[in-house]
């Protein structure tokens, strides 16, 4: 039997694995699916068309799967999808998607989401990210794997942040952040490569050197973005040990619709 506190309100149509724990006064709606080993703390509301994977932990007072904060939303059955082994701390708010985008908000696997974090409608968050307290994502934001957002970071709608980027405390982002870049400030400014994070994740010195060379082409060479993309293509061919990382940076520039922080 699922371990449900007697004060919790679980809609009979909700689908909970038998190993799910639900704490006092939590509310779970009819269209919710929750996988094995997930623990829901007290006073958590999970509603909407929301699916949650295995071994997640939700601390008290979070609102998960509520309607998008978008005036265009007209009651469509849009979704929220959460993967496995995520930790979601107190007072987080995750909204479902809208039909103006993919119709789904996603959070991947093994993410550490601290207190008061907001994932707005249609956000796409990868895996192994760390969001510190009060990180706020507006609608349609895309976050790559292994990204770190420090406390009180604000991300403008439709922005993209590439894999392994690090955003410093109280930064407000209105443009895209390429992979591997460390930035902070208001206005946001790049401050090099997230080398410490890359070392911790097992990147070799040669790979980090290749990423640094690519960073210099983008930020320290006085090249236009179009010229930088051409230079990155040549650097990728000349640096096989870091070719996948350089290619990721080059391809990110090609898809940066809002321009990059530069």
């Amino acid at each position: 039997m699922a371990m449900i506190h007697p004060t919790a309100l679980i809609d009979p149509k909700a689908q909970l694995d038998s190993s799910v724990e639900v704490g006092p006064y939590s509310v779970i709606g009819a269209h919710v699916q929750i996988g094995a080993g997930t623990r829901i703390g007290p006073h958590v509301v999970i509603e909407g068309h929301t699916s949650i994977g295995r071994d997640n932990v939700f601390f008290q007072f979070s609102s998960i799967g509520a309607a998008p904060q978008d005036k265009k939303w007209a009651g469509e059955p849009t979704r929220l999808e959460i993967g496995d082994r995520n930790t979601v701390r107190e007072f987080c708010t995750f909204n479902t998607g809208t039909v103006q985008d993919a119709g789904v908000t996603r959070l991947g696997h093994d993410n550490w989401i601290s207190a008061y974090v907001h994932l707005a409608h249609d956000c796409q968050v990868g895996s192994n990210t760390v969001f510190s307290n009060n990180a706020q994502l507006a609608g349609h934001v895309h976050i790559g794997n292994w990204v770190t957002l420090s406390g009180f970071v604000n991300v403008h709608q439709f922005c993209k942040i590439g894999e392994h980027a690090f955003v410093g405390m109280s930064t407000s982002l209105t443009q895209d952040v390429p992979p591997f870049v460390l930035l902070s400030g208001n206005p946001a400014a790049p401050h090099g490569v997230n080398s410490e994070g890359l070392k911790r994740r097992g990147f070799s010195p040669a790979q980090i050197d290749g990423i640094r060379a690519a960073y210099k082409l983008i930020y320290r060479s006085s090249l236009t973005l179009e010229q930088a993309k051409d230079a990155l293509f040549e650097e990728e061919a000349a640096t096989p040990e870091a070719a996948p990382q350089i290619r990721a940076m080059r391809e990110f520039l090609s898809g940066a619709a809002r321009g990059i922080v530069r």
Side-chain angles (χ1 to χ4, degrees):
M1 295 289 293
M3 291 169 277
I4 310 298
H5 193 274
T7 61
L9 299 178
I10 314 295
D11 191 285
K13 296 180 182 178
Q15 300 178 37
L16 276 62
D17 184 84
S18 61
S19 61
V20 170
E21 300 179 25
V22 182
Y25 303 104
S26 286
V27 179
I28 298 179
H31 303 293
V32 174
Q33 300 175 323
I34 303 178
T38 291
R39 292 180 285 148
I40 311 299
H43 298 278
V44 175
V45 177
I46 306 177
E47 55 186 310
H49 289 76
T50 296
S51 63
I52 298 172
R54 301 174 59 93
D55 300 316
N56 297 280
V57 180
F58 291 83
F59 282 71
Q60 55 268 28
F61 305 115
S62 286
S63 173
I64 308 298
Q69 298 176 65
D70 188 323
K71 290 184 177 180
K72 298 186 296 296
W73 187 71
E76 300 93 346
T78 53
R79 308 189 312 282
L80 168 67
E81 297 177 357
I82 297 174
D84 304 331
R85 300 176 302 279
N86 297 289
T87 296
V88 180
R89 295 301 304 243
E90 301 84 351
F91 297 100
C92 290
T93 52
F94 300 172
N95 296 158
T96 56
T98 64
V99 295
Q100 286 75 31
D101 199 325
V104 58
T105 304
R106 290 190 178 94
L107 178 69
H109 310 299
D110 301 295
N111 297 287
W112 181 268
I113 308 297
S114 298
Y116 294 96
V117 167
H118 178 60
L119 301 188
H121 59 86
D122 303 293
C123 287
Q124 309 292 315
V125 178
S127 298
N128 296 290
T129 67
V130 175
F131 290 8
S132 296
N133 288 8
N134 284 282
Q136 307 286 300
L137 306 188
H140 314 282
V141 168
H142 288 213
I143 306 287
N145 298 332
W146 297 100
V147 167
T148 298
L149 301 184
S150 302
F152 296 91
V153 167
N154 300 308
V155 185
H156 192 280
Q157 60 203 43
F158 293 102
C159 282
K160 297 180 181 179
I161 302 179
E163 60 185 357
H164 297 280
F166 184 102
V167 183
M169 186 175 67
S170 299
T171 299
S172 291
L173 290 174
T174 59
Q175 292 180 296
D176 296 351
V177 180
F180 314 111
V181 170
L182 185 153
L183 57 79
S184 64
N186 282 306
H191 297 287
V193 168
N194 181 20
S195 56
E196 189 60 37
L198 297 177
K199 290 175 186 176
R200 293 177 182 178
R201 293 162 203 152
F203 282 72
S204 69
Q207 288 175 312
I208 295 173
D209 286 345
I211 292 167
R212 284 199 178 105
Y215 174 90
K216 290 177 181 178
L217 289 173
I218 299 170
Y219 288 104
R220 299 289 184 262
S221 64
S222 300
L223 298 176
T224 68
L225 283 182
E226 287 303 315
Q227 291 170 335
K229 283 189 281 187
D230 292 339
L232 287 172
F233 187 82
E234 296 177 4
E235 187 71 22
E236 178 186 333
T239 317
E241 60 272 22
Q245 291 76 36
I246 298 171
R247 185 180 312 117
M249 298 177 81
R250 177 174 57 82
E251 291 176 348
F252 187 94
L253 295 186
S254 298
R258 293 189 59 83
I260 65 167
V261 175
R262 205 175 187 207

